[in-house]
Amino acid sequence: MKNILIKTGIAAISLMLAGQAAFAQDATTNIDMSKVVFKPIDPENVIVIDTTKGQIIVALSPDIAPNHVERIKTLVRQGFYDGVVFHRVIDGFMDQTGDPTGTGTGGSQLPDLKAEFTFSRGKDSPFVEAATINGRSLGYFGFLPATSQPSALLSIIKSGQLTAFANHCEGTASMARAMDPDSGNSQFFLMRGETPALNAKYSVWGRVVSGVDVVKAIKIGEPVVDPDKMIKVQVLADIKDKNRPKAFYEDPNSNYFKQRLAAEVTAKGDSFNNCSFEPLVKAQ
């Protein structure tokens, strides 16, 4: 397997990708939307990406990748991403962008970032545990599906901290890098499908809350001929229009989510996959 490389142009990962639940919800999901508890996402931690194929809204997760979130917002506010193309797009895998040269070898003038592949969680961390399978706890850290050491270890490990990582599910936003783990800079990718092989090897910094259909519509290629591009990228808090969108995610601690989750875990057993059962997200 080959890693995503932002400075080499090496060919993409070729993987069999599991089918994922769509972000949009309808009657076929059997979800009673009147019972869903949505929580607002701080507009300071949301970016709006207007592309040649439509709009993508991404919620940022500073709790798990604070330095990468700060880098994304810094570059967005500099206008760095405006006009930048999607230079490498692989069907069923991901859309890569963030290189102003469009070659896959460029970046910003800012220093490279230390990896934030994993994060620590304690007993008071907002991790909702769904199931423990093969010695790992699958669950949710806010709106992001995540995998952790089992909660049972909290009473054993002296530090009281467990290691966890966000999963690369459909719609995940993650930082591209070269072979050096600490080489993330400006390039990032949006997942078109689940790819567990990337977990704990790339720094996840957010999740698409609206526009996964746009992510999947971006023109494919390695490199892309006549590529789609990001026309304008903004931090939601900076948009002054009174009709600007608002972003929300389903509270994984809510009773209704936990009821649905318990039914899913019971039905799937050891085949349960938290990428296939996620808190709902939306923008309106």
Side-chain angles (χ1 to χ4, degrees):
M1 193 194 93
K2 297 176 180 178
N3 289 327
I4 297 175
L5 302 179
I6 67 172
K7 296 176 180 176
T8 65
I10 287 180
I13 296 171
S14 176
L15 293 170
M16 296 299 294
L17 301 172
Q20 299 302 308
F23 282 70
Q25 302 298 318
D26 57 34
T28 62
T29 63
N30 296 317
I31 294 175
D32 183 346
M33 298 302 292
S34 69
K35 295 181 179 180
V36 176
V37 178
F38 281 106
K39 298 182 71 173
I41 303 172
D42 183 355
E44 180 64 26
N45 289 316
V46 179
I47 59 172
V48 179
I49 306 172
D50 289 308
T51 79
T52 44
K53 283 295 195 327
Q55 188 175 85
I56 303 168
I57 299 177
V58 185
L60 316 179
S61 188
D63 290 339
I64 69 167
N67 296 326
H68 284 74
V69 166
E70 186 59 34
R71 171 60 55 84
I72 292 293
K73 291 197 293 185
T74 295
L75 293 176
V76 167
R77 285 180 162 139
Q78 289 178 356
F80 179 87
Y81 290 123
D82 296 351
V84 174
V85 303
F86 290 89
H87 64 271
R88 182 165 172 260
V89 181
I90 303 164
D91 192 24
F93 182 26
M94 59 91 216
D95 302 352
Q96 188 169 338
T97 185
D99 172 11
T101 72
T103 65
T105 63
S108 77
Q109 296 300 310
L110 298 175
D112 290 346
L113 295 165
K114 292 285 187 181
E116 292 177 307
F117 300 161
T118 64
F119 62 96
S120 296
R121 73 172 185 93
K123 64 178 181 179
D124 296 324
S125 298
F127 180 78
V128 175
E129 190 170 41
T132 299
I133 301 173
N134 297 325
R136 290 182 168 185
S137 289
L138 305 182
Y140 310 92
F141 196 87
F143 50 74
L144 284 171
T147 301
S148 169
Q149 291 176 290
S151 294
L153 294 179
L154 281 169
S155 61
I156 301 173
I157 296 177
K158 290 184 178 180
S159 67
Q161 296 291 311
L162 304 179
T163 299
F165 56 83
N167 295 356
H168 283 79
C169 306
E170 178 182 288
T172 295
S174 190
M175 210 70 168
R177 63 173 177 84
M179 291 296 291
D180 182 352
D182 301 325
S183 59
N185 187 282
S186 67
Q187 292 192 42
F188 64 87
F189 55 96
L190 305 175
M191 298 300 296
R192 296 168 76 110
E194 180 190 356
T195 308
L198 303 186
N199 292 345
K201 295 178 183 177
Y202 293 84
S203 299
V204 173
W205 51 264
R207 177 184 171 187
V208 174
V209 298
S210 177
V212 74
D213 56 331
V214 178
V215 172
K216 292 183 175 182
I218 298 296
K219 190 176 181 181
I220 295 165
E222 292 185 85
V224 188
V225 177
D226 190 22
D228 285 311
K229 65 182 178 180
M230 298 184 287
I231 299 169
K232 188 174 184 61
V233 186
Q234 301 173 84
V235 176
L236 182 56
D238 297 342
I239 299 176
K240 303 306 180 184
D241 187 342
K242 65 179 181 180
N243 296 318
R244 74 184 187 188
K246 296 178 181 179
F248 302 86
Y249 73 98
E250 182 180 12
D251 183 359
N253 273 303
S254 66
N255 289 334
Y256 187 52
F257 179 82
K258 288 185 174 180
Q259 289 170 8
R260 300 194 335 265
L261 176 60
E264 180 78 2
V265 171
T266 298
K268 296 296 177 62
D270 286 349
S271 65
F272 171 77
N273 179 354
N274 58 345
C275 273
S276 296
F277 187 91
E278 302 173 279
L280 305 182
V281 288
K282 67 177 182 177
Q284 62 183 35

